[in-house]
Amino acid sequence: MRERLFPRWGAALFALLPLSEILYVSVNGQTMYAAALASLVCALICAAGAQIAPLMHRHPPLRWVLALAALWPLTRSFARMALFLRSTVFTGRPLWSLVLLLTVCAVLLAASGLNRCAMWAMPAVWTAGIILVLSGILTLGDLRVAYWQPPDGTLLPLTGQLLSAMLPGALTLSLSLPDKLSGAASRGLAAGGALFALISLRALLLLGPHTAALLPYPNFSAAGLAAIGDFARRGEVFFAVPLLLCELGRAAALCCVLFFPLTHTYGVPHIQKKDA
């Protein structure tokens, strides 16, 4: 019996996608609006993609197309995770070693199959959500409402940038689903996008647009203001770890898509041998 990808697992899998962008996005007065709008557009496109996903699996050439399409967002994930780690924690490590470590971790996670990657996405999303909300609560007294900015003419270009970053991986996954989980895909992207928007707003109200523009990872830096005495002096580390786990889960899911033409399964992969 073929393993099912349950809707709640599918929603968690797609919630990883906006959460994976939080660490790397620049923050200005339009980021909150752009994050919400890009996630909404991405949710609508991926819901349509999920509707035709079963059709994609009836034709082996299309499965290979999806596998090739997974290469770009997968490579991008490894590169930006490695750059982030080298810039913040492992400053003395060569970049190639971090890329190799992340690749091995993602491939090992992908070895359990897409179903199990989606299942493990649930605790990752809940952990990330709780940490993000907690960091917001701890910095609530430092927010400056004067930094709030209304939408302006830069909103649409920024939305396009976020959509171009999020959509390739999201659409590839939606077209690779074993079931028509359009509702799960849209719910997951909407929930992750809402949290993405709130975290971007928090960073703006904490740092201000001018300070945020000078920082390479403003959402990460803003979390450092959540320190309480000797506890969590590196509060940004507690903030970043669950988000890196989210992106590692995203990369593992894309690895499953990449391997699917060879494994032919969504459960535990196995290479099908030809009869002698």
Side-chain angles (χ1 to χ4, degrees):
M1 180 177 179
R2 181 178 66 82
E3 294 189 28
R4 285 190 59 200
L5 182 58
F6 292 100
R8 62 181 180 276
W9 296 355
L13 183 66
F14 280 89
L16 297 178
L17 299 163
L19 295 177
S20 298
E21 301 296 326
I22 291 176
L23 285 176
Y24 315 103
V25 71
S26 60
V27 172
N28 57 43
Q30 305 305 304
T31 304
M32 177 191 69
Y33 308 114
L37 185 56
S39 298
L40 177 60
V41 173
C42 192
L44 294 175
I45 294 174
C46 290
Q51 286 290 328
I52 63 173
L55 177 64
M56 302 290 290
H57 296 287
R58 298 192 191 119
H59 306 285
L62 293 180
R63 292 200 293 266
W64 281 104
V65 170
L66 286 177
L68 293 175
L71 280 174
W72 165 243
L74 187 58
T75 303
R76 184 171 177 268
S77 282
F78 292 142
R80 67 184 187 176
M81 278 193 290
L83 285 170
F84 174 80
L85 289 172
R86 191 182 65 171
S87 300
T88 56
V89 182
F90 303 110
T91 54
R93 297 283 184 178
L95 188 61
W96 68 265
S97 66
L98 296 173
V99 172
L100 179 61
L101 175 63
L102 292 167
T103 302
V104 170
C105 291
V107 170
L108 289 176
L109 184 57
S112 62
L114 184 62
N115 292 35
R116 288 168 178 78
C117 286
M119 179 180 67
W120 285 109
M122 288 195 68
V125 168
W126 276 106
T127 301
I130 291 170
I131 293 295
L132 296 180
V133 170
L134 181 61
S135 70
I137 293 173
L138 293 177
T139 53
L140 194 61
D142 298 318
L143 301 181
R144 299 291 181 266
V145 180
Y147 291 142
W148 180 294
Q149 296 180 2
D152 61 28
T154 63
L155 172 58
L156 290 181
L158 182 56
T159 300
Q161 293 175 15
L162 290 178
L163 190 60
S164 66
M166 198 184 310
L167 187 58
L171 185 57
T172 300
L173 283 176
S174 67
L175 291 170
S176 304
L177 293 174
D179 304 292
K180 293 182 179 180
L181 298 179
S182 56
S186 59
R187 288 194 303 271
L189 284 164
L195 199 52
F196 183 9
L198 290 175
I199 291 300
S200 299
L201 175 63
R202 186 212 60 171
L204 174 71
L205 298 184
L206 280 173
L207 302 173
H210 301 296
T211 301
L214 300 175
L215 299 171
Y217 304 109
N219 283 317
F220 172 76
S221 300
L225 300 178
I228 304 176
D230 291 330
F231 173 74
R233 284 188 178 274
R234 297 301 305 273
E236 65 272 22
V237 175
F238 294 93
F239 175 85
V241 168
L243 294 175
L244 287 173
L245 290 176
C246 285
E247 180 148 27
L248 194 61
R250 169 185 182 266
L254 289 169
C255 282
C256 291
V257 176
L258 182 62
F259 298 151
F260 184 78
L262 298 175
T263 61
H264 303 283
T265 179
Y266 286 103
V268 179
H270 59 279
I271 304 297
Q272 291 189 348
K273 297 181 179 179
K274 295 182 179 180
D275 295 334

